Structures are given as structure tokens and as C-alpha cells.
Amino acid sequence: MKSTRPTPPPRLGVHVSIAGKLSGAVENAEALGCTAMQIFSRSPRMWSAKALDPDEVSRFRGLREKYDIKPAVIHASYLINLATPEGGLKRRSVEALIDELDRADRLGVEYLVVHVGSCKDGGAVEGVERVREALAAALSSGRWSTQLLLEDTAGERGDVGARLEEIGMILKGLPGGERVGVCLDTCHLFAAGYDITTPVGVERVAGWVERAIGQDRVKVVHGNDSKKGLNCRVDRHQHIGLGGIGLEGFRAWVNHPAFREIPMILETPKDTPEADPRNLITIKNLRRHERSE
Ligand SMILES: [Zn+2]
Ligand SMILES: [Zn+2]
């Protein structure tokens, strides 16, 4: 009889609150049984940020090592808009992105996720060009051990990056772009019109990802169901299985060869204390080779 060594299950975690302390976030992730995690390193809705406390930085690094929670992801500030036509906001956005990269690097975090951006004046082509300029400016100003990931958007008014091709266009030939990867959000994909509710749909989307971006560039998946329907173009996260994507969609996603090994972070609602554990178990139970009760 041939013995087969069990492969470790793909990495799975949730966005955890830092509630004042970065090290507390690692403890919370560990308590939930996470093997990956995401945090904000600063208030995501304020331009100013408190400096990192060196003791907290080393506690954060030490605990993550101890619990083997990897990767850790920092979600960048929501104020950052790399697609804006407005000069002041663009400058602030580039500065804030560099600051986020500096912080992520000090914390020893693997990835920094940033939304591609939005331009109120519409034009995706101009938006793509502006994102490229802003990214090139940020990337030319330093080197970080943390990898920057661009996240696809839901296609709300003015959003750049709702089409996979737009993300591909941003990355193609971008100076420093070889250092940039992608984070795909299942809710955003679905809201932007990508039907991932069936195995056939997920297979089709996997093909588009490969053609537009390249599968190996996708480093993290945000696993969220969508409150609204296909192509709704609004970004409202729902518990896994209870939204428009549904259990069958997630079953197809977590078992598809293109996506099953990619670390998944849930950003599902935290309306009750049971919400995170329940959503994590739902994902585990959908995986064909991993079941927990
Ligand atoms: Zn997301
Ligand atoms: Zn979202």
C-alpha cells in the first residue's frame, strides 16, 4: 500500500480588530484557529497615524512566529485613492501608500492590500493611467519586504479595477510592477458581474484571471459572500453561503485548482460573536479534503 502524506490545509483567516493593540490581534486570530490573518495597521478612515510602538512590533512578530499565522495581510487605508484626478488627493494617497508599506515592512507582514481606486469622472482608461502613475511613484521611492497587492473592486460608480482586464492593464509594463501582486475579493467579483455561483462559472472566471492577470500573481483571496445580486455593483459583504454567491459557489471556489491553495481571508460581518467561527467552519466544511464539526 502506498502511503500518502497529508498536505496541510490551505491557509485561512479573518480580518481581526487591532483594538488598540497589534499583538492582541494575533491573539484573537489564534483563538479563532486562524492560520492567516488581516489587520489595519492604522485607522483606515484617518490620514494621520500613530507611530508604531517598537515593543508592540516585536510582540506582534514574535506571536505570529509562535502561532505560525502566515501570511498576515495589512489592509491599507480606505482614504487612499490611486485613480483620483485631483492633485492634492493623489499626492496624499501616494504618501499614505508609502507609509503603509513602511509600517507593513516593520511589522514583517507578507502583504499590503490596497483598493485599486475610483475616479468620479468615470473613464476607466484615464483611471488606469492615473493608477499606474501613482503606483510607479510609490514603488520608485523604496524597497520593502512586504508585497503590495491590488484588490479588485465591486464596480461602484467610478471604480477602477472591477474588470480583471483593468488590473491586467495596470500591471502590464508598470515600472516596479514585478513586485506587485493581486488580491481577489469574491464579493467584489460577483458584484462586478462575474458569476461564481457554479463550478462552470468558477472555471470560466479562473480562465479570465489567467488571461488578464496570470494565476500565479494572485496571492490572497478575500472570501466574502455578497448581500446583493450578480452585477449589483455595490460592495456589501455577507456571511458565507447566505448571499448571492451561496454555498455551491463557495464549494466550487475553494475546491478549484486555480484558487484552492491561495490563502483566504474572510471579511464577513461580525454581527454576533459566533459569526467568525461559523464562517470559518463553513469554509472548512466546503473543502473536499478537510472537514471539521
Ligand atoms: Zn476585500
Ligand atoms: Zn468589499
Side-chain angles (χ1 to χ4, degrees):
M1 222 166 81
K2 237 184 10 188
S3 79
T4 50
R5 202 185 309 160
T7 49
R11 297 283 167 149
L12 177 64
V14 295
H15 184 105
V16 278
S17 160
I18 55 170
K21 274 204 165 182
L22 288 158
S23 54
V26 192
E27 296 285 7
N28 291 341
E30 158 72 6
L32 286 164
C34 294
T35 51
M37 64 185 286
Q38 179 175 278
I39 55 168
F40 297 119
S41 88
R42 43 183 278 175
S43 167
R45 297 186 196 278
M46 284 191 338
W47 285 110
S48 62
K50 261 201 295 188
L52 290 172
D53 168 10
D55 292 339
E56 263 303 292
V57 170
S58 62
R59 270 195 290 274
F60 178 87
R61 283 173 166 266
L63 283 173
R64 208 157 70 78
E65 198 63 44
K66 178 176 164 195
Y67 298 141
D68 184 31
I69 299 179
K70 194 177 170 179
V73 181
I74 289 179
H75 196 298
S77 167
Y78 291 127
L79 299 178
I80 294 176
N81 184 353
L82 304 174
T84 181
E86 203 234 291
L89 178 57
K90 181 176 178 171
R91 199 186 59 249
R92 283 188 117 176
S93 293
V94 171
E95 279 167 14
L97 180 60
I98 294 168
D99 183 55
E100 292 270 15
L101 280 162
D102 287 340
R103 294 167 77 93
D105 190 86
R106 276 187 65 200
L107 286 163
V109 156
E110 284 80 8
Y111 303 116
L112 176 76
V113 170
V114 68
H115 290 179
V116 168
S118 138
C119 48
K120 291 284 172 276
D121 58 347
V125 176
E126 294 89 336
V128 162
E129 212 29 66
R130 285 195 291 264
V131 174
R132 285 171 62 88
E133 279 169 26
L135 281 175
L139 291 168
S140 67
S141 77
R143 290 261 158 189
W144 302 270
S145 61
T146 302
Q147 187 178 14
L148 179 63
L149 306 182
L150 304 180
E151 179 173 0
D152 66 309
T153 50
E156 294 185 337
R157 202 169 77 86
D159 270 0
V160 180
R163 308 300 311 163
L164 295 167
E165 295 77 16
E166 288 168 17
I167 299 175
M169 275 154 56
I170 289 166
L171 292 173
K172 197 172 173 201
L174 176 74
E178 67 286 346
R179 290 186 270 149
V180 180
V182 171
C183 168
L184 288 179
D185 186 307
T186 52
C187 168
H188 300 177
L189 282 172
F190 183 73
Y194 293 99
D195 188 347
I196 48 172
T197 58
T198 62
V200 172
V202 171
E203 172 68 21
R204 206 179 294 137
V205 170
W208 287 329
V209 169
E210 175 59 23
R211 276 192 295 282
I213 300 166
Q215 244 161 50
D216 52 350
R217 227 158 175 175
V218 182
K219 305 297 183 189
V220 171
V221 166
H222 281 164
N224 303 309
D225 211 330
S226 171
K227 264 199 182 125
K228 303 282 165 77
L230 180 66
N231 207 19
C232 59
R233 310 224 142 220
V234 285
D235 183 6
R236 297 282 178 280
H237 299 184
Q238 177 58 298
H239 299 291
I240 304 296
L242 300 185
I245 299 171
L247 281 181
E248 289 321 305
F250 276 97
R251 191 193 308 280
W253 182 283
V254 300
N255 292 299
H256 193 283
F259 302 123
R260 67 184 172 210
E261 301 297 333
I262 302 173
M264 179 179 271
I265 303 284
L266 310 185
E267 300 171 312
T268 37
K270 297 183 188 296
D271 38 16
T272 64
E274 296 79 41
D276 277 340
R278 205 179 47 227
N279 284 310
L280 287 164
I281 284 174
T282 303
I283 290 290
K284 287 180 185 172
N285 285 340
L286 290 172
R287 289 173 171 169
R288 244 161 240 145
H289 301 292
E290 181 189 2
R291 292 195 165 266
S292 66
E293 54 287 346

